[in-house]
Amino acid sequence: MPSKIKKSAVQTRLQTQTRPPAQLPKAQSEPLQTPRGMRDILPQEEIFWKIATSRAAELSSAFGYGYIETPILEHKSLFVRGVGDVTDIVQKEMYCFKDQGGDELCLRPEGTAAVARAYINHGMLNLPQPVKLWYLGPFFRRERPQAGRYREFHQWSVEVLGDEHPILDAEVISLAMAFFRDLEIPVTLEMNSIGCLECRAGFKEELAKFYTPKRELLCDSCKVRLGSNRMRLLDCKEPQCEMLREGAPQTTDHLCDKCRDHFIRVLEYLDEVSIPYNLNTQIVRGLDYYNRTVFEIFPKIEKPEAANLPKIPESNETENSLSDSAVSSGEEKASDEKALGQQSALGGGGRYDGLVAQLGGRDTAAVGFSIGLERVVNVLKTLKPASSIAVPRLFVAQLGEAARRKALLLWHTLRKDVPVVAALSKDGLKAQLEIANRLNVRFAIIIGQKEVLDGTAIIRDMEAGIQEVVDYNRLPVEIKKKFAEEKKAIS
Ligand code: AMP
């Protein structure tokens, strides 16, 4: 009998596991787009997202905040009760649906109400107070997409529940400001106090007296707000409403003694840690649950119209995904331009002492903030070119099949010490070194047939163009040494 060719273990396994080919879906003629106002985050943005999210996580932990994650879907009633049924978010902007079981659910438009719910559900009031929490994730609001305003966006937020001391307002503000300082984003902090329910009742009367004679001149939304959500009259961005605001009553003139004292102490604490702020009586925040301290943080970047702010459409936001049948493209463009100046708050927050009780818990004072990560990333992109902040440091190049296999293994060994990239599917060395150059890589390791045979590897200094041969097994040590030398040279 002729001797059979011995099959490799892999070949034998493959033969016994042969499956019929998968049915591929039929190609569609029109490529699909993301839903309007939603976008893909692509690799070229990765470094900026990493910088922002890792700083947020590190700062939260450094200040002793515990991580919390709540579901992306919540009962609609949470937001109706928590955020307020006369707010823009609840009236116009939530994505809600009835599920198969008949529950009315919504994609979360914000995080504070859910955290207050979790505080109640998990009996956190029995923990030492205040409870300090942080989270980071996607939120959804069906707003009109504009520069820096999306229908899916990400926020980093902190919440401090269970203590009304004004030092906590200053603490969370100082945490937010530390974030921007660490990222070297120049910002301004705008502070206001909107008082408690008691002082606001009189203030709302004053607003009605001031605005009712001017009702016909207000924008359509503000006409409605005059009846149901009067505080928002103060931060409407429509030009006619901005003009009418001149001489409008100011919240700070109507604070009760306790609220005034609270606000003054918050400002004194900020002075203590040398955090500059502007008093801005137009900051009222849009949600029902806020009381006393409210604040917003804006990029200190020259307008115009924020020349440095990102242009839209973004790379993966096509004209198509921005256009809306209800809005002409001309209108949209005008509002985009206006938005560059207007929608630029990077973050905001305040006290919400009534929210936990509103959701069925005990009376619980609380304060927090949210920072919009898309806007942070957009500013970072304008301030720091990607090439200046991070590059993969090491490239593994190979020549020949045996070297390719060795390179795959080497990649896994080396990545424990330094970030490594490779282009293992490429055959030619020239093509691989071109990629390494494009990636601004400092060193490349090259393994060819000869190196496989004699157990060596070449380390190429991509800047100096110098190469040296080293023992393959000594590669991790040699590479670590090279990076240590480089670090020393830089410092
Ligand atoms: P808010 O929850 O409305 O107080 O928003 C806090 C921060 O989240 C804002 O200052 C923005 O930076 C960001 N943000 C809010 N809405 C959006 C949106 N639709 N698109 C992008 N960022 C947003």
Side-chain angles (χ1 to χ4, degrees), residues 141 143 148-150 153 155 285 345-347 370 372 375:
R141 294 182 196 166
E143 295 182 88
R149 196 202 267 177
Y150 309 100
F153 56 96
Q155 288 182 335
R285 314 282 292 141
L346 293 174
S370 292
R375 293 186 191 178

